[in-house]
Amino acid sequence: MTVTLDNPATVSAPFGDRFAHVARLDLAGGALLVLSGQVAVDDDGAVVAPGDVRAQAERIFELIGALLAAHGATFADVMHVRTFMTDFGDLAGYAAVRRRYFPDAKPASTTVEVRRLFLDGAVLEVEVTAAVTGG
């Protein structure tokens, strides 16, 4: 078994080397990917569409898709989604975007309302765990 912590070169890491975006555990026959919580930021680290849950969800799933692809995975490989949001009143907007990325698969899910996130204007943070076969 091998553990790799990385920021794929194909995906902008706006926060530099403060943390790894992906922890990859290679096992016989595949790999387990644990993506750190993603917030809706542009390539320079500025919050995208402050306060807008739908626009932020779009950006977050765009980032997650790119991180998964950098490791040979897709949304179909996602086993668990953990969502942190600042207002459950935004749940319908977030869910509408999320359904487009998981049209068939229904990964395990945890959603938590938090008072605030670490960036002003961010209303959503999403982390995923995925299993990739053929490693």
Side-chain angles (χ1 to χ4, degrees):
M1 140 173 101
T2 305
V3 176
T4 307
L5 304 174
D6 86 321
N7 289 317
T10 56
V11 182
S12 176
F15 303 111
D17 61 358
R18 287 195 235 168
F19 61 91
H21 283 278
V22 180
R24 180 184 175 114
L25 176 62
D26 286 296
L27 304 163
L32 181 67
L33 304 176
V34 179
L35 278 61
S36 62
Q38 299 297 307
V39 293
V41 293
D42 62 21
D43 291 349
D44 296 320
V47 172
V48 172
D52 183 336
V53 73
R54 285 179 185 257
Q56 288 190 18
E58 290 288 352
R59 176 62 177 159
I60 287 169
F61 284 116
E62 175 185 298
L63 291 168
I64 288 171
L67 290 166
L68 290 169
H71 287 271
T74 69
F75 285 99
D77 298 308
V78 172
M79 303 179 334
H80 186 264
V81 178
R82 181 172 289 113
T83 304
F84 302 91
M85 49 192 331
T86 59
D87 183 353
F88 274 159
D90 289 336
L91 190 57
Y94 167 65
V97 174
R98 179 183 151 151
R99 271 191 300 274
R100 287 201 340 273
Y101 288 89
F102 298 101
D104 300 316
K106 306 295 184 245
S109 180
T110 303
T111 303
V112 179
E113 185 176 44
V114 296
R115 199 176 108 211
R116 71 180 306 263
L117 295 169
F118 77 103
L119 291 174
D120 289 336
V123 296
L124 191 63
E125 182 170 340
V126 180
E127 56 186 51
V128 302
T129 303
V132 186
T133 57

